[in-house]
């Protein structure tokens, strides 16, 4: 991930996992310093400063979603014939959430069709803003 990249902010260990916000990467990946802190629950004795095993990025919240885009909804969309989400890394069997790539067509589909906004707000879509009306997809613009 590089500075300026866009990402979905996702809640995973909860009752309804899903996308809850849009963020921007504001600092490129750097070693996660908790891996070397013996008092941290994230301490990793196999990791060294010369060969770190864990990395992190800094993000800035760009948009908090009014409604969660649930994992179940993403899965349902991914099963539809010809869906741009069919090959999405998050939806593949055995996939573990951490940092995963999101292809441009997946990003656009989720931003334009699945994110519900309060009337008249815009949703971040790559480098552009897409005007949305409450509960309407991009095709209704």
């Amino acid at each position: 991930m590089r500075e300026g990249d866009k990402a979905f902010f996702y809640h995973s260990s909860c009752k309804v996992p899903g996308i809850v916000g849009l963020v921007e990467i504001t600092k490129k990946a750097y070693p996660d310093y908790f891996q070397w802190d013996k008092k941290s629950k994230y301490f990793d004795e196999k990791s060294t400063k010369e060969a770190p095993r864990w990395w992190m990025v800094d993000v800035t919240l760009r948009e908090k979603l009014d409604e969660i885009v649930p994992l179940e909804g993403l899965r349902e969309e991914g099963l539809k014939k010809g869906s741009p989400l069919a090959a999405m890394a998050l939806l593949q069997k055995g996939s573990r959430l951490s940092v995963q790539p999101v292809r441009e067509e997946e990003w656009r589909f989720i931003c334009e069709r699945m994110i519900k906004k309060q009337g008249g707000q815009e949703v971040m879509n790559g480098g552009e803003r897409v005007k949305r009306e409450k509960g309407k997809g991009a095709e209704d613009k």
Side-chain angles (χ1 to χ4, degrees):
M1 295 195 307
R2 296 179 293 267
E3 287 181 45
D5 283 352
K6 307 296 186 275
F8 293 119
F9 195 83
Y10 189 91
H11 284 182
S12 57
S13 296
C14 57
K15 191 184 269 188
V16 181
I19 299 168
V20 297
L22 306 175
V23 297
E24 183 174 339
I25 309 307
T26 52
K27 185 175 181 183
K28 68 180 185 175
Y30 56 97
D32 183 341
Y33 46 82
F34 288 108
Q35 65 192 310
W36 304 306
D37 181 355
K38 291 182 181 180
K39 295 177 185 170
S40 171
K41 68 179 183 176
Y42 303 109
F43 175 69
D44 184 342
E45 63 184 34
K46 294 181 182 178
S47 180
T48 66
K49 292 191 178 185
E50 297 75 32
R53 295 177 59 167
W54 304 100
W55 296 80
M56 60 185 182
V57 296
D58 291 354
V59 300
T60 299
L61 179 66
R62 294 298 181 212
E63 188 163 352
K64 179 181 175 190
L65 302 184
D66 296 323
E67 295 181 27
I68 189 171
V69 177
L71 174 59
E72 193 54 42
L74 294 167
R75 283 187 177 135
E76 287 173 12
E77 285 296 330
L79 291 173
K80 292 179 181 176
K81 186 173 180 162
S83 172
L85 302 186
M88 188 173 191
L90 173 66
L91 306 178
Q92 301 312 302
K93 188 172 183 125
S95 175
R96 291 189 49 124
L97 183 66
S98 182
V99 175
Q100 298 176 342
V102 176
R103 297 175 320 191
E104 181 66 28
E105 58 269 24
E106 295 164 348
W107 178 271
R108 286 190 176 281
F109 183 85
I110 291 168
C111 286
E112 293 175 2
R113 303 275 178 97
M114 298 191 75
I115 294 176
K116 294 184 174 99
K117 300 299 298 168
Q118 290 185 353
Q121 290 186 352
E122 298 175 334
V123 65
M124 187 168 69
N125 191 350
E128 60 190 79
R129 306 289 297 177
V130 177
K131 187 81 170 167
R132 296 287 303 266
E133 290 188 33
K134 187 174 182 164
K136 294 190 176 183
E139 68 279 1
D140 298 323
K141 294 189 282 186

